[in-house]
Amino acid sequence: MHAQGQRRFCRNSKAGVISGALAWCQSLLSPAGLAHSLSLVCFLAQVILINVFLVQYLSSTVLLTMTIDVPLLLHLAWFWRVDSSYRAAPTQWFCYSWVHAAKVVVLFCRVMPRLTSSTPAVAEDVLRGSDFSINASYFQNLFSPTMLANLLLITPVFYALLMFRTSKAIFGSLSKRVTVDLIMHYDMLWHVVIDMVDQVDMFYYARLAEWVGSEALEQHKNSLVLIQTAVPFLLFFSMVLQAQAFPGVVTDKWSIPVETSASASGRRPSDMPPRLSVLSQGSAEQIEPTVRSSQTGQEALSRRPSHEISFSDRVSTGGVVHRKTTTGPGTERAWFERQERARRRRLQGVMNLIQRHNIIIARKRSAIASIFLIDIPFLTIRIWLWALLQHTYFPGLGIKNGLCIVLNVMQYTLVALASKESFKRIKREIAEYITRFHSGTLKEEAEGDSYGERSGQEEGEGGPPVDQSVSELMHQEQAHQ
């Protein structure tokens, strides 16, 4: 028997691996699957080449960063399905942003100044500065300033691919319909990508002494040193805060009633009060409601005579007493299955609204990071340098800084208004969901039942308080109406 069980396990494992491989190959035919493959290639290429630069100009100790890069690569490869990208992509982007920001600071301070251009400098190259130009080096030379800067330009490509997969997971077929959150999703994508290009442009300031000229270096040495000291701090903090410019990294928490399973405490489900589960990212894995107790109560209600059914019983079933013309376990089971499917569809709609609301939260944070850590500081440095060089050089991206400040300030009011409207809609949907499917929770809270808190204190298992109770949610909804 043991040998047969092992053979059966091996066959099932092989079948699962083969089916998974086939599903992955089929996903490559879709745009989201192709985006996943390209994101893997971009991440792997950038990590390998950056480590080559670090090992070449520092030491092999920098390979300790592989302890983070390798698990992140495995995580990125494992969650290849589109429906899982919304839960996985925020973690991937958050970890990537922090590690990448630290690497950029090291590259700015220890590697970029030591690189040599493969073409000799001429008089016309002075004050070319941070302009992107392939004339600065030959591409066959890997260890050149242009190649290192181009390597950092992989970051906006990686971000765009993750955002594309996330949009497919959130909107699905609705991505063909123009909505406010869809517009904000791609508006945030555009702004963040432009800011990343601006950061790479500012990365050239590591070679500031090379392209300002010897005369300006002698006259304004202290000012130029101060600029080069401030730039790496700005790059690090701006890249770290850009980790929040992704849907799902920072979320609001919503209280959803979930009935506690009977096996958790050894009591019958009908004897236990419902608890509140905090839902933040709208993930289906965070909600595991059990419906045995509600089904038991509805079964008992359907068997009782009509004159014994109270008003509270009618409220707990949505205000309608369901009568069945036929009896039997098969008919009752089919009826409860329909009710459960309706509940899950309603809950899935609420979760999708929460996911779309997280886009607006990310857009607000990306605007704040862009204004105060990228556009205003970078524009100040460029104007300062323009004044030091006696109005002889002003980069084109300085105009971008001024325009983006105006655009982000103008759009922030609209984003705040959209966030308020989305917040109201989610609260209304949760209140309707609770009223229809979990009205027993309202009754328990109205009576001030604190059975769960008392039992937790007696057993020494008191947990943190829930952010917002259902009764408060209902009162706020009535006040808004």
Side-chain angles (χ1 to χ4, degrees), residues 102-118:
K103 290 180 180 179
V104 167
V105 172
V106 176
L107 291 173
F108 183 94
C109 298
R110 301 294 302 275
V111 177
M112 187 67 171
R114 300 170 63 181
L115 298 176
T116 57
S117 300
S118 58

Side-chain angles (χ1 to χ4, degrees), residues 250-263:
V250 178
T251 61
D252 288 336
K253 293 186 177 181
W254 305 89
S255 300
I256 303 291
V258 176
E259 294 180 0
T260 308
S261 60
S263 59

Side-chain angles (χ1 to χ4, degrees), residues 410-456:
M410 293 173 58
Q411 291 180 349
Y412 190 82
T413 304
L414 300 177
V415 173
L417 180 62
S419 177
K420 183 178 179 181
E421 294 296 329
S422 176
F423 190 82
K424 287 183 179 179
R425 183 181 179 186
I426 293 174
K427 287 183 12 178
R428 183 172 61 251
E429 291 291 332
I430 291 178
E432 292 177 357
Y433 169 80
I434 292 173
T435 303
R436 179 176 178 183
F437 299 104
H438 293 278
S439 56
T441 304
L442 300 176
K443 181 179 179 181
E444 293 290 343
E445 290 193 354
E447 295 175 354
D449 188 5
S450 59
Y451 178 81
E453 297 181 0
R454 291 199 303 269
S455 61

Side-chain angles (χ1 to χ4, degrees), residues 195-255:
D195 288 340
M196 290 177 180
V197 176
D198 196 4
Q199 290 169 341
V200 175
D201 182 84
M202 191 62 63
F203 185 77
Y204 276 97
Y205 279 56
R207 304 176 69 86
L208 187 62
E210 179 184 9
W211 52 267
V212 296
S214 58
E215 182 179 354
L217 184 61
E218 293 177 358
Q219 294 178 357
H220 310 288
K221 182 179 180 180
N222 294 331
S223 298
L224 296 177
V225 170
L226 182 60
I227 290 175
Q228 282 194 316
T229 304
V231 168
F233 285 98
L234 293 175
L235 290 177
F236 177 79
F237 287 112
S238 62
M239 290 181 178
V240 165
L241 287 184
Q242 273 180 346
Q244 300 181 11
F246 200 95
V249 175
V250 178
T251 61
D252 288 336
K253 293 186 177 181
W254 305 89
S255 300

Side-chain angles (χ1 to χ4, degrees), residues 226-371:
L226 182 60
I227 290 175
Q228 282 194 316
T229 304
V231 168
F233 285 98
L234 293 175
L235 290 177
F236 177 79
F237 287 112
S238 62
M239 290 181 178
V240 165
L241 287 184
Q242 273 180 346
Q244 300 181 11
F246 200 95
V249 175
V250 178
T251 61
D252 288 336
K253 293 186 177 181
W254 305 89
S255 300
I256 303 291
V258 176
E259 294 180 0
T260 308
S261 60
S263 59
S265 60
R267 293 190 294 270
R268 297 193 308 272
S270 59
D271 295 337
M272 299 187 62
R275 293 183 181 177
L276 293 176
S277 174
V278 178
L279 177 66
S280 59
Q281 294 191 18
S283 174
E285 282 70 16
Q286 292 177 300
I287 299 181
E288 296 292 339
T290 58
V291 295
R292 294 182 179 178
S293 60
S294 60
Q295 291 179 359
T296 303
Q298 291 174 352
E299 289 176 358
L301 181 62
S302 63
R303 297 192 186 98
R304 290 164 56 184
S306 58
H307 65 275
E308 295 182 4
I309 300 176
S310 62
F311 174 75
S312 60
D313 293 331
R314 293 177 183 271
V315 172
S316 64
T317 58
V320 178
V321 179
H322 300 274
R323 290 296 183 185
K324 308 178 184 59
T325 57
T326 59
T327 59
T331 305
E332 293 180 356
R333 182 176 181 180
W335 184 81
F336 288 123
E337 286 178 354
R338 288 195 300 270
Q339 289 293 105
E340 177 64 12
R341 286 194 296 268
R343 186 192 65 82
R344 288 183 178 273
R345 283 195 301 268
R346 192 64 176 266
L347 184 59
Q348 185 63 39
V350 174
M351 291 191 297
N352 185 257
L353 289 177
I354 294 175
Q355 292 173 354
R356 294 162 68 173
H357 178 72
N358 291 336
I359 295 175
I360 303 176
I361 296 176
R363 182 66 187 94
K364 290 170 62 177
R365 292 180 173 268
S366 68
I368 294 174
S370 177
I371 292 173

Side-chain angles (χ1 to χ4, degrees), residues 139-156:
F139 279 100
Q140 57 262 30
N141 185 10
L142 176 63
F143 301 104
S144 63
T146 301
M147 290 301 296
L148 181 57
N150 291 337
L151 185 61
L152 298 181
L153 288 175
I154 297 179
T155 298

